[in-house]
């Protein structure tokens, strides 16, 4: 029987904006076995048990910090389609279960993953947080669930459990390059875990980590003096502050690749040089063990790849792949047919609209002849939380500034409207744009909902994030194949490159400010109610108990008493003295004894209550 | 209100006004002034006002029950009487398992034994029972005696003996112990039957001059071979029965089963045995094992034997780059690196050993880690040193409630051995089996039994036959009995605290599910008790486990956790103000 295998690979690629991309790829595979989930040698036991317990046939979990720059870093290559992920956490899974059990299993799965990866994935448990797209995300039979947490902060506490799934962790092999300060200093950081499980293949676990780094070169100052024209020359040591000293001993293969984009290759060709590891434009610091050339369908070489086998290097002779530029060079990456972006319109806390714009990058001009009836398809998938109540009927489409009928542009649409505190709104839409189009804009109106006071997140005034929308272009395939004569050369990384890769891009996360209540409101309400009650009871008791007329008479009498002069005058005039004067003193002793009685009574009651409540 | 309105008077002339009027010498007498108004009140307030006050009070009083009704919460009634009753029953009569002691005397001499002798011996054995320690879970012991000699058998009157007369003679005892054990087992009916457990001690008279020796078999019997007189035989019978069959060889003052040791079983009755092979430094050598086949084969009988006590799952994994976290020092005399006992608490390196709890161990189940540690070339061979300076024979140690560690020195490793750079090897099946035997010993110890027996306290040579199950039948009986007892006690303790918690918090919502769980738990507990009085240890253990699991489920029900903080003051604050 086949044994469990582990391979580790790293791909480095210079980027046009003087940054460098590093893509780590680790594959662990377990053959189908009866003991799956119980006895393992290399494959992580936890993952195998997860697959067994939740009947997962496919799962992808990504943790991303930063946004992939589709303009600069490429939007039409396997890296951007497979490894550019929306900020925060994205999780989707396909279950091998009856449809009725899927939601419950998903909820358990989110809790398990949240424990495994030290993240708040459990917030995807609530039915308001996940959706079941049918075709907009990935074609399925209703057994796919998708959820995203755009605000999840990703850091080293998520990386450590991810590394624990590798047999050598970061103690040896390619993963030992993951020096945390340099990895988290990068511009983009996306760690991903992809699982595929089937009866015939067993479980395949792909763990990838994609980082975009600024090479930390000593000659950084010199770069600024030349106005950023020159690409920085970098090596592994500059990127990770470490050199690679050998492979993980249990790995089947351990390779490092350097990929040179088509833009550079074209430049090299123009300079009349052969694309080798040492040409007129650049030189690789270490001679590669093998070089591969991509051939696209037109049989024109587009990009090239240099391979290093880490097996040949050890701690005495560490591998430090680098690239040194001989001439200043400007190139650009291939971009997706449209640059998709999403933004909010409107102001105020009551309503607004979401707009999505598609700006042509001019790619279609090269690919398709601009005849009149030609069109380009785009699929939009977006999930909106329920408190942003989107009116899907208000969809409007503008092409090059002119309003168009929806039927002209929208080929197919599938909407699951949101339900308050129950379901998020999901929209899957197949659009057809004319090839000549420069800019298309879609707008959707929405009302902002009200949340219950305890549904607000801790920092409610920051606003609420709407997860990224996914735009895919089904007619464009970004797969890249590096044909290789040697049949023994198996590289999971290049296999992934070869796989079907519909060009995809994620839009920005939207930040919607919602009306936030004054969070001291409940206390204000309590205070206010108490005041009203006190006033009501106070005045009622007053009205019942007090006799204002008599009190006033009493007042008058008191006034009479004090009026010594009138009394004297009255006496002098021989009038009778008010008889009430003598009366007033006698009842004074009676209230005093009454008061005493009352005090005693209250004390007795208090003592009895205290005694009873304590016994 | 009318009255109040009637009381209203125009503003009284001020004193200065009065002065003025007197100065004007118009004679407004004080009586005239009071004559304008109603006279001062001399009687009690009228009925109108009283009625008004009463109606307000009454409407409040009428509304009060409604308010209380509206703030009423659902509380499922808990059978607190039944819980208290069960606890009282358990305190006054702790579960005791009646069992039988059957002594068989195999006489080699001819002639029919005298029936009265059997009765006499039976009485003699019965008198020894006061030796039974109080902590024992054994209840009534019924004693029976059979005497077999050349002429036939005589049994005491007490019980119908399962002994098949004549199947076995004293001469058979010279055979191999294992064979004799099986023969004895078949002579006693051949099965570990249900119902009351009867322990048999056979006294085989054999005068081969080798002296007396005692063998304790895999099932529920032991035998004594040698020339023993009657008094000695009686004391041996009592000793073996009480010391081993009843107490598992645990002396007073030792930790072990029934001596305050907890069983490493999760409160839902599940245990995961997680076996890990740790390669401290794969740069030196990488070892793998064939655990799936060998481990399962060896451990399955153990799992089956312990099923009434715990539902056991077995898992295994291989980990790399897992150094230990304590220091060892090199000892030239011993030819290796030595780890003293004092460093053992720091041996387990929880930072680097990502042993992981298992996903399959859900809820409150227990994970026991069993770790094979393969030292790196630098520290190889690594030995454990006992406090008396000797090296540990097994090179292993346990950590109660956590698991066990075995240090396995790969073959051909010695001080200064060359690094076999990155070679991948397989642990041979022989070595793996030896390691697993150590693990079974550790498991026995974790469950409170002795890893192996030394014949201490016995004045004759004692031998113990080892079962392939890891646990002899009489040891399992002991485990079942203790497990049933401790689970019943812990179940009752949980139920009692739940009931007192519910009573102390009158504002706590008690879901119906909790009530149902409590009832089921009580049912299971009384079933366990009933089985205990019948002497059926294993099913009693199963029911007791179930009772405890249900009690814990009820106690840790999520709804209890959320509401248990709401106090009466809180209630008043919310509803009354």
């Amino acid at each position: 029987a086949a044994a469990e295998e582990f391979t580790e690979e790293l791909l480095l690629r210079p980027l046009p904006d003087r940054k460098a991309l590093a893509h780590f790829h680790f594959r662990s595979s377990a053959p189908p076995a009866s003991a799956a989930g119980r006895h393992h040698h290399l494959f992580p036991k936890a993952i195998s048990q997860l697959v067994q317990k939740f009947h997962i046939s496919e799962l992808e979990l990504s943790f991303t910090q930063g946004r992939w720059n589709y303009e600069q870093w490429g939007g039409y290559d396997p890296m951007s389609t497979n490894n550019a992920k929306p900020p925060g956490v994205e999780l989707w899974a396909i279950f091998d279960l009856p449809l009725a059990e899927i939601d419950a299993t998903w909820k358990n799965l989110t809790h398990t993953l949240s424990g495994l990866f030290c993240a708040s994935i459990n917030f995807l448990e609530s039915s308001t947080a996940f959706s079941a797209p049918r075709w907009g995300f990935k074609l399925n039979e209703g057994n796919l669930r998708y959820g995203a947490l755009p605000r999840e902060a990703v850091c080293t506490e998520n990386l450590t459990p991810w590394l624990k799934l590798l047999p050598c962790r970061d103690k040896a092999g390619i993963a030992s390059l993951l020096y945390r300060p340099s990895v988290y200093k990068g511009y983009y950081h996306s760690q991903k875990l992809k699982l595929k499980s089937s009866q015939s293949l067993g479980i395949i676990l792909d763990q990838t980590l994609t980082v975009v780094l600024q090479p930390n070169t000593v000659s950084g100052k010199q770069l600024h003096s030349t106005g950023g024209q020159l690409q920085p020359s970098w090596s592994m040591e500059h990127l990770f502050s470490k050199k690679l000293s050998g492979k993980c001993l249990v790995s089947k293969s351990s390779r490092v690749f350097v990929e040179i984009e088509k833009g550079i290759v074209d430049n090299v060709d123009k300079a009349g040089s052969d694309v080798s590891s040492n040409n007129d434009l650049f030189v690789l610091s270490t001679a590669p063990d093998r070089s591969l050339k991509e051939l696209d369908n037109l049989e024109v070489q587009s990009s090239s790849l240099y391979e290093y086998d880490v097996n040949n290097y050890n701690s005495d002779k560490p591998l430090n792949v680098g690239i040194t530029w001989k001439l200043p060079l400007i190139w650009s990456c291939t971009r997706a047919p449209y640059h998709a972006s999403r933004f909010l319109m409107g102001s105020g806390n009551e309503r607004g609209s979401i707009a999505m714009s598609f700006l042509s990058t001019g790619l279609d001009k090269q690919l398709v002849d601009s005849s009149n009836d030609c069109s380009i398809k785009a699929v939009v998938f977006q999930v909106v939380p329920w408190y942003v109540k989107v009116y899907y009927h208000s969809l409007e489409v503008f092409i090059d500034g002119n309003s168009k009928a929806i039927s002209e542009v929208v080929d197919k649409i599938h909407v699951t409207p949101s339900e308050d505190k129950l379901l998020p709104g999901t929209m899957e839409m197949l659009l057809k744009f004319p090839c000549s189009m420069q800019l298309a804009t879609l707008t959707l109106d929405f009302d902002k909902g009200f949340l219950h006071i305890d549904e607000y997140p801790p920092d409610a005034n920051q606003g609420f994030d709407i997860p990224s929308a996914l735009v895919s272009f089904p007619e464009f395939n970004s797969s890249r194949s590096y044909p290789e004569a040697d049949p023994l050369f198996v590289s999971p990384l290049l296999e992934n490159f070869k796989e079907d890769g519909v060009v995809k891009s994620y839009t920005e996360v939207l930040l919607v400010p919602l009306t936030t209540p004054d969070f001291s409101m409940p206390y204000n309400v309590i205070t206010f109610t108490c005041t009203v009650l006190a006033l009501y009871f106070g005045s009622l008791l007053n009205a019942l108990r007090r006799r204002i007329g008599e009190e006033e008479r009493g007042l008058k009498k008191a006034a009479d008493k004090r009026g010594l002069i009138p009394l004297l005058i009255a006496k002098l005039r021989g009038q009778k003295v008010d008889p009430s004067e003598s009366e007033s003193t006698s009842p004074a002793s009676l209230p005093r004894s009454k008061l005493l009685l009352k005090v005693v009574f209250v004390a007795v009651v208090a003592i009895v209550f205290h005694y009873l409540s304590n016994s | 209100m009318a009255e109040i309105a009637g009381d209203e008077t125009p503003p009284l002339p001020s004193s200065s006004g009065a002065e003025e009027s007197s100065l004007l010498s118009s004679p407004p007498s004080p009586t005239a002034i009071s004559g304008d108004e109603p006279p001062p009140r001399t009687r009690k307030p009228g009925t109108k006002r009283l009625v008004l006050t009463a109606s307000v009070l009454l409407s409040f009083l009428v509304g009060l029950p409604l308010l209380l009704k509206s703030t009423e919460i659902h509380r499922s009634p808990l059978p607190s009487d039944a819980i208290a009753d069960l606890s009282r029953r358990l305190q006054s009569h702790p579960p005791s398992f009646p069992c039988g002691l059957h002594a068989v005397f195999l006489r080699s001499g001819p002639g029919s034994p005298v029936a009265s002798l059997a009765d006499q011996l039976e009485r003699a054995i019965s008198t020894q029972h006061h030796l039974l320690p109080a902590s024992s879970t054994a209840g009534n012991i019924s004693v029976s005696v059979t005497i077999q000699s050349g002429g036939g058998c005589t049994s005491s009157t007490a019980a119908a003996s399962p002994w098949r007369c004549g199947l076995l003679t004293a001469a058979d005892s010279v055979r191999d112990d294992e064979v004799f054990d099986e023969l004895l087992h078949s002579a006693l009916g051949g099965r570990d039957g249900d119902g009351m457990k009867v322990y048999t001690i056979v006294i085989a008279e054999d005068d081969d001059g080798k002296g007396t020796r005692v063998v304790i078999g895999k099932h529920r019997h032991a035998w004594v071979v040698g020339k023993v007189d009657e008094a000695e035989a009686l004391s041996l019978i009592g000793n073996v029965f009480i010391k081993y069959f009843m107490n598992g060889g645990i002396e007073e003052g030792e930790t072990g089963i029934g001596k305050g040791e907890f069983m490493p079983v999760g409160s839902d009755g599940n245990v995961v045995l997680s076996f890990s092979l740790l390669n401290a430094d794969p740069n030196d050598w990488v070892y793998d094992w064939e655990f799936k086949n060998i481990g399962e084969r060896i451990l399955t009988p153990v799992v089956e034997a312990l099923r009434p006590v715990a539902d056991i799952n077995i898992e295994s994994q291989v980990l790399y780059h897992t150094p230990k976290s304590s220091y060892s020092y090199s000892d030239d005399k011993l030819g290796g690196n030595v780890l003293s006992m004092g460093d053992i608490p720091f041996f387990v390196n929880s930072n680097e050993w990502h042993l992981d709890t298992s996903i399959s161990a859900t809820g409150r189940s227990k994970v026991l880690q069993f770790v094979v540690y393969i030292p790196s070339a630098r520290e190889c061979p690594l030995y454990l040193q006992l406090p008396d300076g000797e090296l540990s024979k097994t090179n292993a140690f346990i950590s109660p409630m956590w698991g066990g560690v075995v240090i396995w020195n790969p073959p051909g490793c010695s001080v200064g051995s060359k690094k076999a750079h990155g070679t991948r090897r397989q642990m041979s099946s022989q070595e793996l089996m030896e390691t697993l035997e150590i693990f079974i010993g550790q498991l026995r110890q974790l469950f409170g039994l002795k890893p192996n027996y030394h014949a201490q306290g016995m004045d004759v040579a004692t031998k113990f036959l080892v079962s392939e199950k890891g646990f002899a039948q009489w040891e399992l009986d002991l485990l079942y009995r203790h497990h049933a007892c401790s689970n019943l006690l812990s179940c009752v303790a949980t139920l009692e605290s739940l009931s007192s918690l519910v009573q102390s918090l009158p504002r706590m919502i008690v879901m119906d599910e909790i009530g149902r769980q409590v009832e089921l738990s009580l049912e299971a507990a009384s079933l366990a008790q009933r089985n205990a009085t019948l002497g059926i240890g294993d099913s009693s253990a199963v029911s007791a486990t179930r009772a405890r699991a249900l009690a814990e489920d009820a106690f840790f029900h999520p709804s209890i956790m959320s509401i248990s903080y709401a106090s009466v003051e809180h209630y008043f604050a919310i509803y009354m103000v």
Side-chain angles (χ1 to χ4, degrees), chain B residues 190-254:
Chain B
R191 55 191 199 90
D192 305 316
D194 300 328
M196 196 175 80
K197 307 291 183 269
V198 179
Y199 297 91
T200 310
I201 298 172
V202 178
I203 311 285
E205 280 184 9
D206 179 46
D207 198 6
D208 58 356
K210 278 192 215 156
T212 317
R213 64 193 186 94
V214 177
V215 184
I216 293 172
K218 288 185 246 183
H219 305 278
R220 292 189 190 93
H221 50 245
W223 62 97
V224 182
V225 189
K227 189 75 192 156
V228 280
D229 60 22
E230 224 155 76
E232 208 179 332
L234 286 182
S235 98
L236 269 179
I237 287 171
N239 243 338
V240 168
F241 180 70
I242 289 160
K243 195 159 178 266
Y244 293 106
F245 288 161
M246 290 298 110
N247 289 320
I250 312 265
E251 302 286 325
E252 287 294 326
E254 273 184 313

Side-chain angles (χ1 to χ4, degrees), chain B residues 499-575:
Chain B
S499 133
S500 70
L501 175 79
V502 166
Q503 272 165 9
S504 71
L505 295 172
R507 297 298 306 165
M508 197 176 91
I509 297 169
V510 184
M511 309 265 279
D512 278 334
E513 200 185 337
I514 297 173
R516 204 163 51 246
Q517 276 167 340
V518 168
E519 265 162 35
L520 286 174
S521 167
L522 279 173
E523 246 169 60
S526 55
L527 184 67
Q529 257 192 319
R530 205 158 50 240
N531 279 332
T533 52
L534 295 174
I536 314 170
D538 45 357
S539 49
S540 175
V542 171
S543 309
T545 308
R546 193 176 131 71
R548 181 176 166 210
L550 282 165
E552 300 267 334
D553 278 348
F555 191 81
F556 290 106
H557 196 275
S559 71
I560 284 191
M561 299 303 211
S562 63
I563 206 71
S564 59
Y565 295 110
S567 59
V568 182
E569 287 82 0
H570 196 124
Y571 165 72
F572 275 114
I574 289 175
Y575 293 112

Side-chain angles (χ1 to χ4, degrees), chain B residues 119-195:
Chain B
D119 290 330
Q120 189 194 329
L121 283 170
E122 184 192 315
R123 271 195 301 282
I125 293 170
S126 303
T127 52
Q128 289 188 320
H129 288 155
H130 63 270
L131 293 169
L132 214 59
S135 67
S136 171
T137 47
N140 286 335
I141 297 165
S142 52
V143 182
S144 58
V145 173
T146 303
I147 301 171
Q148 180 190 320
S149 60
C153 295
T154 315
S155 287
S156 66
T157 48
S161 152
W163 178 258
R164 294 189 194 163
C165 194
L167 204 72
L168 206 65
T169 60
D172 288 321
S173 65
V174 296
R175 294 208 211 178
D176 185 49
D177 286 335
E178 297 274 343
V179 179
F180 187 74
D181 188 48
E182 288 310 314
L183 276 176
L184 204 55
H185 187 54
S186 59
L188 285 164
R191 55 191 199 90
D192 305 316
D194 300 328

Side-chain angles (χ1 to χ4, degrees), chain A residues 546 548-562, chain B residues 12 15:
Chain A
R546 291 175 67 190
I548 291 156
E550 280 187 26
E551 270 175 28
E552 275 166 352
R553 262 201 301 277
L555 270 176
K556 203 195 79 189
K557 273 174 214 155
D560 285 351
K561 252 183 279 166
R562 274 197 307 276
Chain B
L12 285 171
S15 57

Side-chain angles (χ1 to χ4, degrees), chain B residues 399-480:
Chain B
S399 167
M401 302 301 280
W402 182 84
V405 175
V406 171
I407 299 168
W408 183 71
N409 293 311
C413 97
S414 56
V415 175
S417 62
K418 282 274 170 210
K419 279 188 181 185
H421 191 82
T423 45
R424 296 177 73 169
R425 297 178 203 164
Q426 192 90 8
M427 207 169 158
S428 77
S429 55
Q430 183 58 35
E431 284 159 334
L432 179 57
M433 280 199 284
E434 281 165 16
T435 315
L436 281 170
E437 270 163 33
I438 298 173
F439 280 143
I440 290 175
Q442 291 187 333
L443 188 67
R444 289 167 55 93
Q445 222 171 348
L446 290 168
F447 272 93
L449 292 171
K450 301 209 125 194
N452 45 35
Y453 294 97
H454 313 288
Q456 80 262 63
M458 297 288 282
D459 36 10
V460 285
T462 313
K463 185 183 173 186
F464 293 86
L465 293 184
V466 177
S467 166
E468 71 282 352
K469 285 191 271 186
F471 295 88
Q473 196 57 49
W474 58 271
E475 287 174 323
L476 286 175
D477 287 345
L478 193 68
L479 266 186
Y480 298 159

Side-chain angles (χ1 to χ4, degrees), chain B residues 477-495:
Chain B
D477 287 345
L478 193 68
L479 266 186
Y480 298 159
R481 286 199 301 264
H482 277 284
H483 188 76
C485 278
S486 64
N487 269 352
L488 268 181
L489 289 177
S490 113
C491 160
V492 165
T494 311
L495 286 179

Side-chain angles (χ1 to χ4, degrees), chain A residues 60-330:
Chain A
E60 190 181 287
L61 171 66
S62 65
F63 296 88
T64 311
Q65 194 81 41
R67 244 169 57 74
W68 180 265
N69 187 340
Y70 287 96
E71 298 289 291
Q72 296 277 354
W73 304 339
Y76 194 12
D77 58 338
M79 198 60 72
S80 64
T81 36
N82 291 326
N83 297 303
K85 288 280 155 193
V89 167
E90 188 200 50
L91 170 70
W92 62 266
I94 298 179
F95 297 92
D96 183 21
L97 276 172
L99 293 183
E101 293 169 31
I102 288 179
D103 279 351
T105 315
W106 164 270
K107 288 174 184 181
N108 286 334
L109 173 71
T110 56
H111 279 271
T112 311
L113 286 174
S114 130
L116 263 180
F117 290 101
C118 264
S120 17
I121 306 170
N122 55 324
F123 285 128
L124 291 176
E125 180 211 7
S126 133
S127 64
T128 55
F130 67 90
S131 61
R134 297 304 297 266
W135 47 268
F137 181 72
K138 193 177 166 74
L139 198 62
N140 67 85
E141 286 141 13
N143 51 3
L144 183 143
R145 293 293 177 273
Y146 172 94
L149 294 171
R151 203 182 280 184
E152 180 76 11
V154 181
C155 202
T156 151
E157 79 267 21
N158 306 114
L159 185 66
T160 310
W162 184 85
L163 283 171
K164 252 165 74 172
L165 303 176
L166 305 174
C168 292
R169 310 208 294 298
D170 57 347
K171 299 284 168 203
I174 286 173
S176 66
L177 289 175
L178 289 171
Y179 179 61
R180 307 298 193 285
S182 43
V183 166
Y184 287 101
K185 219 167 61 188
Y187 290 83
Y188 175 81
H189 168 265
S190 172
Q191 89 187 46
K192 195 177 78 168
L193 176 128
K194 189 167 183 180
L195 264 176
K196 254 184 194 170
S197 153
S198 66
Q199 291 292 326
S200 53
L201 288 169
I203 310 171
I204 293 172
L205 168 70
D206 279 334
Q207 286 173 265
T208 62
L209 178 76
T210 313
V211 279
V212 174
L213 303 170
Q214 178 78 62
N216 180 22
T217 50
V218 193
S219 55
K221 282 203 180 83
Q222 183 208 336
L223 286 172
H224 290 291
S225 61
T226 53
Q229 293 288 311
L230 191 70
Q231 285 287 328
S233 301
W234 49 259
S235 70
M236 267 183 187
E237 202 180 358
H238 293 132
L239 293 176
F240 305 109
S241 317
K242 271 183 184 176
K243 291 178 188 173
L244 187 54
S245 54
K247 66 168 196 168
C248 168
L249 277 155
V250 287
S251 66
K252 192 176 157 234
S253 69
S254 179
R255 296 193 182 93
V256 174
F257 298 101
V258 176
E259 192 179 35
I260 301 297
E261 277 289 290
K262 187 173 185 301
I264 306 174
V265 172
D266 288 348
N267 271 313
V268 174
D269 282 342
K270 249 183 258 167
S273 169
D274 187 32
V275 190
S276 65
S277 64
N278 186 358
N279 54 45
D280 288 351
L281 288 176
F282 64 87
V283 60
L284 295 178
S285 63
T286 314
D289 295 327
R290 190 197 295 258
S291 71
L292 302 163
K293 291 178 171 57
E294 187 215 349
L295 290 177
D296 61 16
N297 34 11
L298 300 168
E299 296 292 313
V300 178
Q301 193 208 331
S302 46
S303 56
S304 56
L305 198 68
Y306 302 97
E307 186 230 324
Y308 299 85
D309 193 346
V310 186
N311 234 342
N312 306 331
Y313 300 88
N314 53 41
S315 51
D316 302 330
K317 186 186 148 199
L319 176 64
N320 186 16
V321 183
I323 188 163
T324 311
W325 302 97
K326 294 179 175 169
L327 290 171
L329 182 66
I330 298 172

